[in-house]
């Protein structure tokens, strides 16, 4: 009886593994069975290699980090108003949170706003734009900021403080021009069809599943308002199939990731709003 029970348990375990794998593979097949909803060509700026220590630890597989940004509510010196892979975008206000299913009435007008902020995160569909107006505004602001600090340094020759600020602003401009992600989250909704009608360009706009949670935005310590926080997009990583890994092998041996254009990759998104890599192409280095 004991021997039969062990064999029965082992059989159930194996059957569960087979069933789980079948469900997962079925989901992948269904996601990719129709015409892709989006097809974008991204660079290493948006698809970053993992840090070197992680690449060494996980030698059997490779996944790229999907790097995206939001334009924050406060815009100080250049990059201070932009965050990567998280953040509170200006467009995610109380009205938008209500449209996403969060009861905004739960947020009192005074400082007792805990009921609103304690609501659980919700899965939504995020709209991500590649190299559009949101990125252009970030680039313009970095250029304006660098020019302003350069002028201040010229007017204060010999000041280490002004020289350092000018250098930092110029470094930020270089990063914005050459390595920062150009992929911005610009909208969110619950109906993929309506969002696609609003953003029809499938080579520029990605529609991906993501997570939004409520938060309270405070301005000046006296005024508060209900808003939202984009906390994630899918699992944040894009698996690289073995057949597409060769162009990335030379990049795996280098130092820490720094963005740039070491490669380009075609990213497709299926009907489950799940992305996958279709092509990876190494980019020839150019001299400046």
């Amino acid at each position: 009886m004991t021997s039969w029970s062990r064999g029965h348990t082992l059989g159930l375990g194996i059957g569960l593994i087979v069933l789980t794998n079948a469900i997962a593979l079925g989901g992948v097949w269904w996601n990719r069975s129709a015409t892709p909803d989006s097809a974008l060509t991204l660079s290493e700026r948006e698809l970053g290699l993992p840090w070197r220590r992680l690449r060494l630890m996980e030698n059997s597989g490779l996944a790229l980090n999907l790097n995206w940004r939001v334009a924050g509510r406060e815009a100080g010196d250049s990059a201070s108003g932009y965050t990567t892979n998280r953040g509170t975008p200006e467009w995610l206000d109380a009205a938008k949170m209500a449209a996403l299913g969060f009861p905004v009435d739960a947020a009192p007008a005074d400082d007792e706003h805990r009921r609103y902020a304690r609501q659980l995160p919700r899965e939504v569909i995020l709209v991500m734009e590649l190299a559009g107006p949101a990125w252009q505004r970030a680039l313009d602001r970095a250029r304006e900021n660098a020019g302003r600090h350069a002028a201040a340094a010229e007017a204060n020759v010999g000041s280490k403080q002004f020289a350092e600020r000018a250098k930092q602003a110029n470094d930020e401009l270089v990063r914005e021009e050459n390595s920062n992600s150009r992929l911005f989250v610009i909208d969110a909704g619950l109906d993929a069809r309506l969002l696609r009608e609003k953003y029809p360009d499938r080579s520029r706009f990605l529609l991906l599943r993501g997570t939004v949670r409520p938060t309270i935005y405070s301005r000046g310590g006296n005024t508060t308002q209900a808003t939202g926080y984009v906390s994630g997009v899918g699992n944040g990583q894009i698996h690289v199939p073995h057949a597409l890994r060769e162009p990335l092998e030379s990049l795996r041996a280098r130092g820490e990731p720094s963005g740039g254009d070491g490669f380009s990759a075609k990213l497709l998104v299926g009907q489950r709003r799940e992305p996958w890599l279709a092509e990876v192409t190494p980019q020839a280095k150019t001299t400046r």
Side-chain angles (χ1 to χ4, degrees):
M1 186 68 176
T2 302
S3 176
W4 178 88
S5 297
R6 291 176 179 173
H8 186 62
T9 302
L10 179 61
L12 287 176
I14 294 174
L16 181 59
I17 293 174
V18 172
L19 178 61
T20 301
N21 289 337
I23 293 174
L25 291 174
V28 171
W29 174 85
W30 187 79
N31 180 58
R32 305 181 184 185
S33 60
T35 301
D37 177 75
S38 305
L40 271 69
T41 299
L42 306 178
S43 74
E44 193 178 357
R45 298 167 71 148
E46 294 79 38
L47 294 172
L49 284 161
W51 290 82
R52 188 169 184 271
R53 63 179 181 274
L54 296 179
R55 300 201 296 269
L56 295 176
M57 291 171 58
E58 300 173 3
N59 225 7
S60 60
L62 178 62
L64 301 177
N65 299 317
L66 181 63
N67 296 325
W68 48 274
R69 302 164 71 189
V70 301
R73 292 177 172 273
E74 292 296 336
D77 283 354
S78 188
S80 63
Y82 298 90
T83 54
T84 303
N85 295 351
R86 58 180 176 78
T88 302
E90 189 172 3
W91 53 264
L92 194 54
D93 55 15
K96 175 62 73 171
M97 291 297 285
L100 295 176
F102 293 94
V104 179
D105 291 342
D110 56 20
D111 293 336
E112 299 298 327
H113 47 244
R114 294 183 179 179
R115 282 186 297 168
Y116 173 77
R118 283 178 176 173
Q119 295 181 81
L120 296 176
R122 292 175 181 262
E123 184 176 273
V124 301
I125 299 174
L126 298 174
V127 180
M128 312 183 82
E129 180 186 47
L130 177 66
W135 177 65
Q136 188 61 53
R137 285 192 294 271
L139 184 58
D140 291 343
R141 196 165 79 182
R143 288 171 175 167
E144 186 278 332
N145 186 62
R148 177 163 50 86
H149 281 289
E154 291 179 4
N156 295 271
V157 177
S159 171
K160 290 185 178 181
Q161 183 180 27
F162 281 94
E164 182 61 28
R165 288 178 180 175
K167 181 181 182 303
Q168 290 177 355
N170 186 71
D171 289 345
E172 289 177 359
L173 174 58
V174 171
R175 286 193 294 269
E176 194 64 68
E177 291 179 330
N178 300 296
S179 61
N180 285 353
S181 174
R182 301 160 298 169
L183 192 63
F184 277 74
V185 177
I186 62 167
D187 202 353
L190 301 176
D191 191 318
R193 181 183 60 83
L194 294 178
L195 287 173
R196 182 49 76 192
E197 290 178 358
K198 186 177 180 181
Y199 303 99
D201 191 342
R202 299 173 187 268
S203 65
R204 178 179 162 192
F205 298 103
L206 285 173
L207 270 59
L208 295 177
R209 291 188 295 174
T211 305
V212 168
R213 63 175 174 81
T215 188
I216 296 294
Y217 174 71
S218 177
R219 181 187 295 273
N222 296 322
T223 304
T224 60
Q225 63 185 86
T227 182
Y229 184 92
V230 182
S231 54
V233 174
N235 65 6
Q237 293 188 322
I238 310 296
H239 172 70
V240 181
H242 192 271
L244 299 180
R245 287 178 57 174
E246 183 177 354
L248 301 174
E249 289 301 328
S250 61
L251 299 176
R252 283 169 60 87
R254 73 181 187 184
E256 303 302 355
S258 57
D261 299 308
F263 64 88
S264 66
K266 187 173 183 179
L267 189 73
L268 304 181
V269 178
Q271 53 189 341
R272 293 181 62 181
R273 310 298 160 193
E274 295 176 355
W276 75 94
L277 284 180
E279 299 175 7
V280 177
T281 305
Q283 299 297 303
K285 292 185 178 180
T286 58
T287 57
R288 294 182 181 270

